[in-house]
């Protein structure tokens, strides 16, 4: 098939490369350059400093917590949207997109108001000794909100494609419902589920707007890595900001590789399965 | 084998209502709650107070700046998305996978990291900052930096929406148009773009919502100068830090309204374009 009769390849390619170069790659290169300028020894000192390590720890563990919640809730939500008919289903499906459409700063102030001691949720939680606003749990709540759609939207199409005959076959072979889910359905949606969880985790690692309102931002306790970058900038400690930001950039690249690997694997998975 | 009367996994009389209750409760607490409290808090003191909060000069300026940013960033990224997808979907070339990954890259990078990265290009200590400063061009902590940071964070949105549609459609129609003597631009304008119009529209709507709502990247590069470089999300933060919660929530209703309109746009696009439903 001669695809070459279409014109405009050079123009389109030229524009794309120029744009990606100037808008995306140039700043990232400048960031890495600035971090490299520190020298390896100082870079390590900055990113393994007590406060930086604490910020990385808070970020990673909160992101893991948020991803775990979204793994369970996202799967349940996708299941309900695909398998069940109920009033308000279309509305619920549309609501899933709210966290992506709502600016993170707006989500941040809204969640803070909800979980504050006198807020709609806080007034019930705080007497139970559960403090969310201005506490580590708040970070988890904010990250859960902003990364909510990833698992749902990854699992939904795959779940839709599953036909009833495989389940029926398993049933005629005498498998119970739990067993059919564990041995037939879950393996089929697993790659998509894993990809959705990885995307949610990656998004949570970099989240800033929603978190800083609710976290309380105390060093060593509720300070996330992105905020520490911001604080170093305000102190005009540009090398330290560059070092911590480049660690975050490295983590983003790593997660990108993981997601791509899962997607390749799932392509091969569905091809061998069918 | 007949499937009649046979229940599928999860359709049990206990499991189904249990799961539905969990899902409804979770969605109400996690999604509806935050949306509702924005409007409740904004209107708590009445419509008059709400309107006067919205009409505060700094907030009005922030709305204007945000709209001005979107007016530049959205068309630029629509053009970029179309160019990138034209190259990726219509041609074979080495490094295609890499180019696709590069176009999508901003999606996986924290906005804070993006903002800091721009500082090291155009800031006083950056690569071009001193030169631009000597020429009297102010990029950082000014309007150009806000636009650049917005371009970075929303670069992939249009391409992500139209790439699958264009790949699926192939190039037969374009080839027919060309063989009938249409020029390349005319083919793009009369054949390709109409074929992807709904995806393109939705990509532009998403870009707009994100540009107007971007907080992290813009907060690094804008300097948040009240009434000068403060976009609407930054204005919300300033008001909130000033303990002016009513003002912050009033400003937030504008962005929440845009978010709701974005979702409505998605529903309309899905209805108009059956290929995209679900």
């Amino acid at each position: 098939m001669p695809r070459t009769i279409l014109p405009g390849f050079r123009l389109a390619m030229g524009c794309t490369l120029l744009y990606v170069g100037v808008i995306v790659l140039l700043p990232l290169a400048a960031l890495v350059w600035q971090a490299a300028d520190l020298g390896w020894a100082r870079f390590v000192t900055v990113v393994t400093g007590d406060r930086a390590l604490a910020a990385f720890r808070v970020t990673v563990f909160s992101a893991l917590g948020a991803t775990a919640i979204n793994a369970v809730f996202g799967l349940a939500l996708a299941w309900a949207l695909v398998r069940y008919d109920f009033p308000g289903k279309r509305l619920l499906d549309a609501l899933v997109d709210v966290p992506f459409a709502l600016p993170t700063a707006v989500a941040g102030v809204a969640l803070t108001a909800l979980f504050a001691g006198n807020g709609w949720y806080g007034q019930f939680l705080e007497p139970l000794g559960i403090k969310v606003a201005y506490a580590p749990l708040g970070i988890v709540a904010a990250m859960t909100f902003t990364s909510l759609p990833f698992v749902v939207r990854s699992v939904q199409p795959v779940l839709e494609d599953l036909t009833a005959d495989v389940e029926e076959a398993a049933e005629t072979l005498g498998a119970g419902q739990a067993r059919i889910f564990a041995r037939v359905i879950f393996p089929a949606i697993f790659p998509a589920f894993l990809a959705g969880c990885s995307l949610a985790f990656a998004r949570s690692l970099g989240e800033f707007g929603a978190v800083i309102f609710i976290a309380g931002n105390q060093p060593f306790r509720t300070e996330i890595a992105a905020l520490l970058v911001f604080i170093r900038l305000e102190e005009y400690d540009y090398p330290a900001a560059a070092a911590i930001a480049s660690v975050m950039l490295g983590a983003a690249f790593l997660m990108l590789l993981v997601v791509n690997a899962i997607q390749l694997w799932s392509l091969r998975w569905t091809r061998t399965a069918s | 084998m007949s499937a009649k009367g046979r229940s599928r996994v999860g359709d049990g009389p206990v499991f189904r209502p249990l799961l539905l209750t969990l899902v409804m409760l979770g969605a109400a607490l996690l999604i509806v709650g935050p949306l509702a409290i924005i409007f409740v808090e904004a209107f708590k003191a009445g419509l008059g107070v709400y309107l006067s909060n919205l009409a505060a000069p700094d907030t009005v300026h922030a709305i204007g700046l945000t709209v001005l940013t979107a007016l530049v960033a959205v068309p630029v990224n629509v053009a970029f998305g179309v160019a990138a997808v034209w190259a990726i979907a219509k041609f074979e070339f080495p490094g295609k996978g890499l180019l696709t990954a590069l176009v999508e890259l901003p999606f996986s990078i924290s906005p804070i990291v993006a903002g800091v990265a721009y500082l090291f290009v155009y800031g006083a200590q950056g690569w071009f900052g001193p030169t631009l400063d000597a020429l009297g061009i102010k990029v950082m902590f000014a309007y150009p930096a806000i636009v650049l940071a917005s371009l970075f964070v929303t670069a992939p949105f249009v391409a992500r929406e139209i790439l699958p549609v264009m790949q699926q459609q192939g190039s037969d129609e374009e080839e027919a148009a060309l063989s009938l003597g249409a020029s390349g631009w005319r083919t793009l304008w009369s054949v390709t773009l109409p074929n992807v119009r709904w995806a393109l529209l939705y990509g532009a709507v998403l870009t707009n919502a994100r540009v107007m709502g971007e907080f992290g990247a813009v907060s690094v590069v804008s300097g948040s100068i009240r009434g000068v470089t403060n976009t609407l999300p930054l204005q919300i933060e300033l008001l909130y830090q000033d303990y002016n919660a009513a003002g912050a929530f009033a400003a937030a209703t504008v962005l929440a309204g845009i978010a709701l309109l974005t979702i409505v746009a998605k529903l309309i696009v899905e209805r108009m374009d059956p290929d995209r439903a679900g």
Side-chain angles (χ1 to χ4, degrees):
Chain A
M1 181 111 146
R3 309 198 71 172
T4 41
I5 81 156
L6 290 185
F9 177 66
R10 284 186 182 190
L11 181 65
M13 192 67 173
C15 289
T16 307
L17 287 179
L18 183 71
Y19 191 82
V20 167
V22 172
I23 296 293
V24 180
L25 291 182
L26 176 74
L28 295 182
L31 169 64
V32 174
W33 183 276
Q34 187 83 26
D37 214 33
L38 266 177
W40 182 247
R42 272 208 63 206
F43 178 84
V44 172
T45 316
V46 170
V47 301
T48 59
D50 285 347
R51 193 163 160 191
L53 276 186
F56 289 136
R57 198 162 43 232
V58 168
T59 310
V60 170
F61 280 111
S62 310
L64 281 175
T67 307
I69 295 172
N70 274 333
V72 176
F73 182 58
L75 190 59
L77 202 52
W79 187 274
L81 287 173
V82 172
R83 290 297 184 97
Y84 302 153
D85 268 318
F86 52 92
K89 179 167 157 162
R90 280 190 65 91
L91 179 68
L92 184 65
D93 196 43
L95 280 176
V96 171
D97 287 320
V98 167
F100 274 179
L102 197 69
T104 55
V106 176
V109 289
L111 289 170
T112 311
L114 285 174
F115 284 107
N118 57 354
W120 293 354
Y121 304 167
Q123 59 180 323
F124 298 110
L125 293 173
E126 291 210 345
L128 300 172
I130 305 170
K131 200 165 156 44
V132 179
Y134 314 118
L137 270 182
I139 306 175
V140 178
M143 288 176 173
T144 304
F145 179 83
T146 53
S147 62
L148 174 90
F150 283 111
V151 175
V152 187
R153 294 299 185 225
S154 302
V155 169
Q156 216 174 353
V158 186
L159 206 53
E160 252 157 23
D161 285 346
L162 286 185
T163 48
D165 49 355
V166 209
E167 287 167 38
E168 280 161 15
E171 200 179 356
T172 46
L173 292 170
Q177 295 220 334
R179 204 174 153 83
I180 297 176
F181 181 80
R183 304 295 286 271
V184 178
I185 299 173
F186 193 67
I189 60 173
F190 185 63
F193 174 71
L194 208 57
C197 290
S198 311
L199 287 170
F201 182 68
R203 169 74 195 253
S204 297
L205 287 183
E207 185 48 43
F208 176 72
V211 173
I212 58 153
F213 287 96
I214 200 172
N217 306 325
Q218 296 162 278
F220 299 101
R221 189 163 163 267
T222 57
E223 184 174 72
I224 56 164
L227 179 67
L228 190 54
V229 173
F230 199 81
I231 289 173
R232 292 294 179 243
L233 282 180
E234 295 204 310
E235 293 167 345
Y236 299 103
D237 188 352
Y238 289 155
I244 301 165
S246 59
V247 170
M248 291 179 66
L249 183 65
F253 275 120
L254 193 69
M255 289 311 298
L256 201 64
L257 279 178
V258 169
V259 173
N260 275 328
I262 293 170
Q263 267 155 2
L264 277 179
W265 171 59
S266 79
L267 269 181
R268 219 172 307 146
W269 179 284
T270 45
R271 210 171 296 153
T272 47
S274 61
Chain B
M1 186 191 326
S2 152
K4 223 174 190 177
R6 203 165 253 158
S7 70
R8 291 182 77 177
V9 173
D11 284 351
V14 181
F15 186 78
R16 190 189 147 113
L18 206 68
L19 187 84
L20 270 181
T21 312
L22 169 83
V23 163
M24 294 293 194
L25 198 70
L29 288 175
L30 213 52
I31 306 173
V32 181
L35 262 186
I37 200 164
I38 296 166
F39 292 95
V40 170
E41 290 284 327
F43 288 102
K44 207 155 66 177
L47 187 67
V49 177
Y50 169 77
L51 289 176
S52 71
N53 272 326
L54 262 191
D58 284 353
T59 301
V60 172
H61 183 275
I63 294 174
L65 183 64
T66 302
V67 172
L68 200 61
T69 306
L71 280 178
V72 175
V74 175
V76 171
N77 269 345
V78 167
F80 163 69
V82 170
V85 172
W86 183 264
I88 292 168
K90 304 289 183 191
F91 299 93
E92 290 301 328
F93 54 90
K96 195 166 157 162
L98 184 66
L99 184 68
T100 316
L102 278 179
V103 170
E104 295 233 332
L105 186 60
F107 195 64
S108 33
I109 290 173
S110 170
I112 280 289
V113 173
V116 175
Y118 268 101
L119 202 57
F120 295 135
V121 182
Y122 302 105
Q125 325 221 317
W127 282 349
F128 307 150
T131 316
L132 288 168
D133 211 35
L135 293 171
I137 303 169
K138 201 160 163 46
V139 175
M140 210 33 78
F141 309 129
Y143 179 66
I146 299 174
V147 173
L148 284 170
S150 306
L151 287 175
F152 181 100
V153 293
T154 57
F157 284 51
V158 171
R160 282 173 70 93
E161 291 302 316
I162 61 177
L163 182 61
V165 188
M166 265 176 103
Q167 271 172 340
Q168 200 188 336
Q169 283 172 348
S171 335
D172 296 350
E173 289 184 39
E174 281 89 351
E175 282 165 10
L178 286 162
S179 64
L180 290 171
S183 72
W185 285 113
R186 193 172 160 87
T187 308
L188 176 72
W189 194 252
S190 322
V191 179
T192 310
L193 291 183
N195 276 342
V196 298
R197 63 183 183 279
W198 295 114
L200 190 67
L201 177 71
Y202 183 51
V205 168
L206 278 183
T207 306
N208 180 63
R210 179 68 192 265
V211 166
M212 291 192 160
E214 178 49 36
F215 177 75
V218 172
S219 70
V220 173
V221 301
S222 88
S224 305
I225 308 162
R226 218 172 272 245
V228 182
T229 62
N230 228 17
T231 61
L232 196 46
L234 301 179
Q235 176 68 11
I236 293 172
E237 190 203 10
L238 267 185
L239 292 169
Y240 198 77
Q241 308 299 8
D242 289 349
Y243 299 102
N244 183 357
F249 278 106
T253 58
V254 178
L255 291 173
I258 292 167
L260 291 174
L261 285 177
T262 305
I263 290 167
V264 171
K266 186 190 182 192
L267 292 176
I268 293 173
V269 164
E270 277 176 357
R271 193 157 291 178
M272 303 303 274
D273 193 354
D275 291 350
R276 295 171 54 78

